[in-house]
Amino acid sequence: GEEFGIILRDEPQLAMTRLEALRENIASFNFPQVGQVHISMGYVLIGGQMLPANVVEQADRALYYAKENGRNQTCAYTQLLQRGEITEQPQHEGDIELF
């Protein structure tokens, strides 16, 4: 499983719509070497002065929730918090780890 990031400058509902459309398009495409592929996505809305480390960690938590709870879906970090599906973790303060 590969992981990659996408940055969209959209309203929250439009971002979810676009990500879901991407997921559905990938799921319906027949790739020549492997056939059908399903993906899971997690995303976070970037607000204020969020540090990159916090953005990546929150999106990653939403992604792993999607993978561990059925796969082939798109999950929003904020919505998962609001529903009590995940708990908020301490935020990084002024550091970033590049890998």
Side-chain angles (χ1 to χ4, degrees):
E2 299 297 324
E3 293 185 22
F4 62 92
I6 299 172
I7 297 176
L8 301 173
R9 296 187 76 180
D10 289 327
E11 293 298 318
Q13 190 55 45
L14 183 55
M16 178 64 157
T17 300
R18 289 183 188 207
L19 292 172
E20 269 297 292
L22 173 63
R23 186 190 61 75
E24 291 171 1
N25 283 335
I26 290 171
S28 67
F29 187 81
N30 190 20
F31 291 88
Q33 299 294 323
V34 295
Q36 287 191 301
V37 174
H38 293 132
I39 65 171
S40 300
M41 290 191 274
Y43 76 94
V44 63
L45 301 174
I46 302 171
Q49 299 294 318
M50 287 180 70
L51 293 174
N54 293 325
V55 172
V56 170
E57 184 174 322
Q58 290 176 10
D60 205 45
R61 290 193 65 218
L63 166 64
Y64 278 92
Y65 180 88
K67 287 181 175 184
E68 293 169 358
N69 292 276
R71 298 186 174 266
N72 194 31
Q73 61 181 314
T74 304
C75 291
Y77 177 79
T78 305
Q79 291 174 351
L80 293 172
L81 277 178
Q82 290 171 347
R83 293 193 317 247
E85 303 287 343
I86 60 173
T87 57
E88 194 161 11
Q89 301 293 310
Q91 300 288 304
H92 297 277
E93 295 181 14
D95 65 343
I96 183 170
E97 180 180 334
L98 300 174
F99 51 91

